[in-house]
Amino acid sequence: MSSETYDIVIIGGGTSGLVLANRLSEDPNLHVIVLESGEDRSGDLNTLTPSAWPLLSNSPANWTFHTAPQKDLGRQITVPQGKALGGSSAINSFLFTSTLGNAGWDYTAYEKALKKSFTLHKPFGVTEGKGPLQLTLATPESVWQKAWIDGLKSVGFPETDPLSGHLGGPNIAPESIDPKTKQRSYAANAYLDPVRSRPNLTIRTETTVTKVLLERPSSAGDAVAKGVQFTSKDGSSQTIGVRKEVIISAGAINSPRLLELSGIGGADLLQRLGINVVVDNPHVGENLQNHLFTGLVFEARDDVETIDAFFRQEPAAVAAAMQEYGTKGTGPLSTSNMITMAQLPLPEFHTEAGRKELDQLLGALDPDSDARRSPPTTPAFAAAHQTFVRSILTDPSEALGNYVFGSAYAPFDAPSPTYRAPGKHVSVAIELSHPLSRGSVHITSAAPEHASTNEGLSIDSRYFSHPLDLEVLARQVRFTEDIISRAEPLTRYLKPYTKRFTDLEVTKDYVRRTADGAYHYTGTCSMMPRAMGGVVDNRLRVYGCSNLRVCDASIVPLEPTANPQAVVYGVAELGASLIKEDIL
């Protein structure tokens, strides 16, 4: 073991890792090190400029994983994950929206932790909170924002507060943008920059951990983390020791990967790859969940402004946007352009006939398909998951789908993802908030050189492997087309439109062809009882280990309703509090 030793080793300098680094290094007696595979991109304008986030999808700041071919989609799906200080909070969009848990993780405790993370800047100079992350909440100012909110009101969905925890209508979502600088506020500049000079905090970038070094004092005792092995910038393999805790915060893809490389996972897989089994837990890497989405595009009237020209990168539109952002801090460069949204139920399942149809759909599922969906998932978890989703579907007060509205063409059904149609358009992205399909992430190689790349593992999201997901998302598409056709004053700004999706089978074909995965991966190191399928306990400790924890999106056992950025900050803040209680 190296003579270099720290009290706390944090693996991953992403959203959770930097929250933990800030909070745990508040104690000057704790020596904390963060090891991050990516670079420090805190000075990169593409990272900081709000509208530039799509440019990061194929940059060195992204791991750019890919799923295995998806049987029910007929193609592979890209899996974006942040590879930089700040993790996915450095490359994602900016939306901040907020039965199977564990003790201490009720909504009250979580909400208290979440509020420690942000300062919310409301219109007219009003602020709430004193947290490091800076959030900006705009008022609906554009013609399209007002039309979206008023239109949904007209069909029975009143405006809601996106941070209230009570959803069911349209809103303008807060963005993680600092209103003073007009730049991205994320884990690196919010949580790390103010404390970089602490003498007890060390940050190493371009450093990839390949293994947690575990020892088992006895055959019956828990394993103990003694340190970590990593590959440094110069390519050499090194180790450092740990006195108290190793915390894995590498995200929903890399956290289970590192556990398996360290000997924690299904024994059959590990033995096949020549890895010594330290803890046999086949649930590691299982329960992968993500939001699937598709969308609809409507032609706008020629006399109403959209941002299509900017999205097409027409020189005059880009120059005007740069001028407006540079002089006023406003315009399409100052935002993700994705803040006009809604959390809506699906009314057709709220009637007695609708609930009966839902029960028939669930009852008609092939029981043998469970093996194809997620073999190691316990029957108890599968049943609880399905019961939870059914309760959401049938409750008029619960949001079933997340809908994002924008005044430009989106290539849902385009020849390529980069295609931008001529003319003027509005688009509605339609997201399945509570998928029942569950996938997996598992290593395919024990070679340490793969740990810093997108190779050496298999990601199988198993999208639409649960038939109800396709059924519900298709109905959401049909529902969206119907409400848009009736939502005055929105409809007055659109060109005449003929409905395409009255037939459910036609709609399903469209969804299969156009569906894609969001950036919202969770669940692969789930926090729940081990017998139910858990990987970590309610203190975030990995089952079978005394001083190894996981703290990131992978511990969330059920996909949150919408964008999980807020959830990850809340998990990290609450996790930091629990760790402090245990080690100080």
Side-chain angles (χ1 to χ4, degrees):
M1 186 69 65
S2 167
S3 59
E4 188 179 7
T5 304
Y6 294 82
D7 294 303
I8 305 288
V9 176
I10 299 171
I11 303 171
T15 309
S16 294
L18 295 187
V19 172
L20 293 170
N22 178 304
R23 298 307 188 192
L24 297 179
S25 65
E26 288 173 343
D27 182 343
N29 296 314
L30 279 180
H31 288 80
V32 179
I33 186 170
V34 177
L35 304 174
E36 165 57 39
S37 289
E39 302 173 346
D40 182 353
R41 301 177 64 89
S42 55
D44 175 40
L45 287 179
N46 282 342
T47 298
L48 297 173
T49 304
S51 76
W53 67 272
L55 301 178
L56 301 170
S57 60
N58 292 306
S59 75
N62 194 340
W63 284 90
T64 316
F65 295 114
H66 298 278
T67 67
Q70 296 298 282
K71 179 180 183 297
D72 294 286
L73 289 178
R75 62 189 186 280
Q76 288 183 296
I77 297 291
T78 300
V79 181
Q81 294 281 280
K83 190 178 186 181
L85 275 182
S88 291
S89 75
I91 71 167
N92 60 6
S93 63
F94 302 75
L95 302 188
F96 200 86
T97 56
S98 180
T99 313
L100 293 165
N102 288 259
W105 289 80
D106 57 274
Y107 186 77
T108 301
Y110 162 76
E111 184 180 35
K112 181 180 178 182
L114 176 63
K115 286 184 175 180
K116 290 176 62 178
S117 73
F118 66 83
T119 299
L120 177 63
H121 300 266
K122 293 184 172 183
F124 313 112
V126 178
T127 62
E128 288 183 8
K130 297 181 179 179
L133 190 71
Q134 303 302 304
L135 303 180
T136 298
L137 178 62
T139 54
E141 296 177 348
S142 75
V143 167
W144 290 112
Q145 288 175 334
K146 293 175 181 177
W148 171 257
I149 289 174
D150 290 343
L152 288 181
K153 284 181 180 178
S154 74
V155 290
F157 299 108
E159 188 174 359
T160 57
D161 178 353
L163 291 177
S164 68
H166 302 288
L167 305 174
N171 59 68
I172 303 297
E175 294 184 284
S176 48
I177 295 173
D178 189 329
K180 294 179 181 178
T181 65
K182 308 299 182 181
Q183 293 181 331
R184 178 194 293 270
S185 180
Y186 70 117
N189 58 17
Y191 275 88
L192 179 59
D193 283 355
V195 302
R196 279 183 190 257
S197 61
R198 285 178 181 167
N200 63 326
L201 176 61
T202 301
I203 307 293
R204 290 189 188 171
T205 57
E206 299 175 74
T207 301
T208 301
V209 176
T210 57
K211 188 177 184 180
V212 179
L213 301 173
L214 298 164
E215 293 182 6
R216 189 182 291 280
S218 67
S219 59
D222 284 345
V224 179
K226 295 293 187 178
V228 300
Q229 179 177 297
F230 62 91
T231 302
S232 63
K233 289 182 183 180
D234 62 9
S236 63
S237 180
Q238 302 178 35
T239 62
I240 57 175
V242 64
R243 286 184 287 267
K244 292 183 180 291
E245 298 262 350
V246 173
I247 307 167
I248 300 175
S249 296
I253 306 301
N254 281 318
S255 286
R257 172 195 236 181
L258 186 54
L259 287 178
E260 290 182 336
L261 288 172
S262 305
I264 302 172
D268 290 346
L269 170 66
L270 301 183
Q271 289 169 350
R272 189 165 65 249
L273 296 175
I275 297 173
N276 180 50
V277 180
V278 180
V279 177
D280 179 11
N281 187 342
H283 305 298
V284 172
E286 290 295 322
N287 196 38
L288 176 67
Q289 295 172 48
N290 187 27
H291 292 133
L292 266 178
F293 72 93
T294 182
L296 299 176
V297 177
F298 302 85
E299 284 193 275
R301 276 180 11 199
D302 295 332
D303 60 341
V304 185
E305 288 302 313
T306 68
I307 56 173
D308 282 284
F310 172 74
F311 271 37
R312 288 192 294 264
Q313 294 292 281
E314 294 177 8
V318 172
M322 292 177 67
Q323 173 73 12
E324 185 175 359
Y325 183 59
T327 58
K328 302 177 183 177
T330 56
L333 279 169
S334 69
T335 171
S336 66
N337 298 293
M338 295 175 62
I339 61 174
T340 311
M341 56 189 304
Q343 304 277 346
L344 301 176
L346 192 58
E348 66 182 273
F349 286 131
H350 300 159
T351 65
E352 184 177 347
R355 287 190 291 271
K356 181 180 290 187
E357 183 182 11
L358 176 59
D359 288 337
Q360 290 173 342
L361 289 169
L362 290 170
L365 297 180
D366 178 6
D368 294 333
S369 66
D370 281 342
R372 180 171 66 89
R373 286 201 291 267
S374 189
T377 296
T378 64
F381 178 79
H385 192 185
Q386 186 162 294
T387 298
F388 168 75
V389 171
R390 186 193 183 283
S391 71
I392 297 293
L393 284 166
T394 56
D395 188 342
S397 67
E398 292 284 357
L400 175 69
N402 187 37
Y403 300 77
V404 182
F405 176 85
S407 60
Y409 178 89
F412 302 119
D413 195 19
S416 76
T418 59
Y419 176 78
R420 297 294 181 269
K424 295 182 177 181
H425 307 82
V426 297
S427 301
V428 184
I430 305 160
E431 186 177 275
L432 179 70
S433 289
H434 298 287
L436 278 165
S437 299
R438 298 181 294 275
S440 64
V441 178
H442 292 297
I443 59 172
T444 58
S445 168
E449 58 266 27
H450 287 152
S452 63
T453 74
N454 60 3
E455 299 178 350
L457 77 169
S458 174
I459 304 170
D460 188 357
S461 300
R462 300 191 183 103
Y463 291 131
F464 291 144
S465 58
H466 197 295
L468 193 67
D469 289 351
L470 176 60
E471 191 76 36
V472 172
L473 187 52
R475 290 167 189 251
Q476 286 180 254
V477 169
R478 190 172 63 178
F479 168 67
T480 303
E481 186 180 58
D482 178 60
I483 62 172
I484 294 296
S485 70
R486 297 185 286 112
E488 281 289 349
L490 180 60
T491 53
R492 75 180 63 158
Y493 300 119
L494 302 178
K495 289 183 177 180
Y497 178 84
T498 302
K499 288 186 180 181
R500 300 168 56 192
F501 300 115
T502 54
D503 183 280
L504 191 58
E505 293 306 314
V506 170
T507 313
K508 288 179 182 178
D509 288 341
Y510 175 84
V511 170
R512 287 190 194 94
R513 189 175 72 251
T514 61
D516 201 351
Y519 291 20
H520 307 162
Y521 294 89
T522 61
T524 49
C525 299
S526 286
M527 179 181 61
M528 55 184 169
R530 185 172 183 176
M532 200 172 188
V535 175
V536 302
D537 66 15
N538 66 330
R539 310 296 289 188
L540 303 178
R541 289 193 187 94
V542 175
Y543 287 118
C545 301
S546 63
N547 65 335
L548 175 62
R549 306 194 203 219
V550 178
C551 184
D552 56 30
S554 71
I555 67 104
V556 180
L558 288 178
E559 187 76 346
T561 301
N563 307 62
Q565 181 183 187
V567 173
V568 176
Y569 279 106
V571 163
E573 284 281 9
L574 184 50
S577 298
L578 297 175
I579 294 166
K580 281 184 172 182
E581 290 175 3
D582 291 343
I583 67 175
L584 298 181

